[in-house]
Amino acid sequence: MKRPKIKRRDIYAGVIALVGTGAVVGAVAFTALSFGAFNVSATYPHPKPVHWMLHYVFKRTVAVRSSEEPPEDLMAEGRRLLGTQHYANACAKCHGGPGLGQNPQALSMRPRPQHLASVVDQFSDSELHWILKNGVRYSAMPSWPAEDRDDEIWNVVAFLRELPELSTEEYVSRLQWPEGEDLPMMPYGERGPLIETDMPPKAPPLDEYLYASPATEWRDFAIQGHPVQRCAACHGVDGSGSATNGYAPNLTALDAPYIETALEEYAAAERESGIMQIVASNLSATQRTELAAYFANLPDKKAPKAGQPADLVPVGEEIALNGVPERAIPACTTCHQQGRSELVDGLAVPNLAGQSPIYIREQLELFAKGGRRFQALWNPMHYVGGALEEREMIALGAYFSSLEPDTALPQPTLALADVEAGQQVVINVCSKCHQASGRGSDGGDVPNISLQNETYISHQLWKFRNDIRPNSRMSETTKLLSAEELRDAAAYFGSLEPLDRDETVDATLVAQGDEIVRNGIPERNVPSCLTCHAESSVRDVPIIARLHGQTFEYLDSRLEQFAGDTGDGLYGLSPMHRIASRMDDGERAAAAAWFAAQDPLPKD
């Protein structure tokens, strides 16, 4: 039998009818919603079919999307102890505890949060991690406040894994706030100005929400005057991190300006931490200052060193004092010297001696993954963390934790360098372009490297050799030299007196450059050049270039190179692309002229 032919007009008619029916249904639904026909009251539980559907969709979403592998030390005691504190402060209000019921207010939610001790075994480690990190839409389960802090999430997973077998007595004992005459009350005091919280993602309507600190919390320990007790729960009464076996940092190793800066950055979500953002956002300005002073003034004490391999201490010491030249990793002591907390424009540098080895390793891993945001103009740690191997991170933790917190560490020097041998290398190789004096070319296109110290020169030579800093001639030359020859040549140049080229520079350009160099260009977020290149800065951080007395032509061409499209990935340790690219040709030339007109800086 022949099938009837479907006419095009019949198809059109069917589509129109379908669309019309949908429009009618939509209009009826919208009208019903407008008249309040759908009851959003949370007075009554969801019907069983709705409850089943919500949980089925939730479990399938989690099962399909979870993939993260847990860390090898997932069940380490320190992780479980730190996870306990966060669970108690952020999770227990809804999900209850071992042998403990749930808050009546939580049980009145729709949907109701589950009693985790009863259901946690239904989920794998990976699934628990996904739930904590992403939260559950259309429920009261939030996502983790910090996007890139998987290490903190695993701490809570570790606690959840032991939750079904944990006794009420053990759980309660972990939560007892330390008491005693050495833990003072700290009144709320002066609230201070509201700090805008840079916590993504922010969604409209923004006028109905207030992303700001100081804020309130589940329990307002700050308003009640108990911030010291709250901090001691993780960091220990002695401040060393003992309460969590070093998974929380040793605060006695840090000074007050660093701690206060960190608290303010956490409160503004400029420094990410799902735990510390919550804690710091509660504190008043007065309490941030007093807390920083309190913990900094506690007796110095080494952090716990559980599970750290002593045999890696010499490996860590070598990296800390000499870096890893072949990967252009500078010595840690370039910046991290005892008692130093502020170097260049907001670059807060913590003391690492006596710090927790686990904390050091985890922070290096965060830098490597980009999980440590920073607001300072310049921070080399993302490059350093990304260039270090896992074994080296562990070794650095082992070394610094072996030191007393007040240990003074030296600035890096080129150990075993032979200046006389370096002179011969310079005469035979480097003098063809730079002259034996280091003065550079007569035309000024080759830089005057008599100005630089040995640490800076060595660092740049290794960058050239490994094509981190692109320059075909220098790359080829440095690859012909041995590691010893590079070291010795850097030591020789570093030993020279800085030469003044007595270059004549356009006075008008110099005058224009004075304003830029000293004050920057605020409207385009260009900082003062002296933020980093002042005499004090290049002395304190010897991997920063000395620009005073450098040739105009070289500086101008370098700024142009930094500003170009290739400048973004030029040198892992440099912020110069984003600075130079915000300046026009005339402004770059003016800044170059100012530095070229200055006397060279003395070498210490």
Side-chain angles (χ1 to χ4, degrees), residues 40 57 61 64 84 100 104 141 149 202-203 212 217 254-256 308 357-358 370 384 394 405 454 490 501 554:
V40 298
V57 171
T61 295
V64 169
T84 302
L100 300 170
M141 178 64 190
R149 292 303 305 266
K202 294 182 180 179
E217 204 211 358
L254 305 174
D255 61 14
Q308 291 307 296
I358 297 170
V384 172
I394 296 172
E454 63 177 15
R501 293 175 53 91
Y554 177 74

Side-chain angles (χ1 to χ4, degrees), residues 111 124 149 192 197 214 411 415 462 557:
S124 67
R149 292 303 305 266
T197 304
Q411 280 197 346
W462 280 103
S557 66

Side-chain angles (χ1 to χ4, degrees), residues 206-281:
L206 292 179
D207 59 346
E208 296 184 9
Y209 303 90
L210 184 56
Y211 291 83
S213 173
T216 57
E217 204 211 358
W218 288 105
R219 59 177 178 182
D220 286 309
F221 68 93
I223 291 176
Q224 295 170 16
H226 297 293
V228 176
Q229 289 89 334
R230 175 69 184 273
C231 298
C234 295
H235 297 280
V237 173
D238 60 5
S240 71
S242 56
T244 51
N245 290 353
Y247 274 83
N250 179 4
L251 299 184
T252 72
L254 305 174
D255 61 14
Y258 182 85
I259 296 174
E260 185 170 4
T261 297
L263 288 172
E264 186 167 339
E265 289 178 346
Y266 281 130
E270 293 172 352
R271 180 169 174 177
E272 290 189 295
S273 169
I275 297 173
M276 284 305 303
Q277 285 174 209
I278 295 173
V279 173
S281 67

Side-chain angles (χ1 to χ4, degrees), residues 557-601:
S557 66
R558 287 290 289 140
L559 285 170
E560 184 178 355
Q561 184 182 21
F562 278 124
D565 292 338
T566 60
D568 191 19
L570 276 180
Y571 324 116
L573 296 174
S574 176
M576 283 306 302
H577 170 67
R578 68 175 181 269
I579 294 173
S581 62
R582 295 168 183 164
M583 304 167 69
D584 61 32
D585 291 344
E587 291 163 341
R588 290 193 289 269
W594 188 90
F595 278 109
Q598 307 307 306
D599 293 331
L601 298 175

Side-chain angles (χ1 to χ4, degrees), residues 293-329:
Y294 174 80
F295 282 104
N297 290 330
L298 287 176
D300 289 342
K301 186 173 182 179
K302 284 186 180 181
K305 296 188 294 182
Q308 291 307 296
D311 60 317
L312 288 183
V313 169
V315 178
E317 181 177 19
E318 173 65 24
I319 299 170
L321 301 183
N322 300 306
V324 186
E326 60 271 20
R327 275 176 268 143
I329 299 174

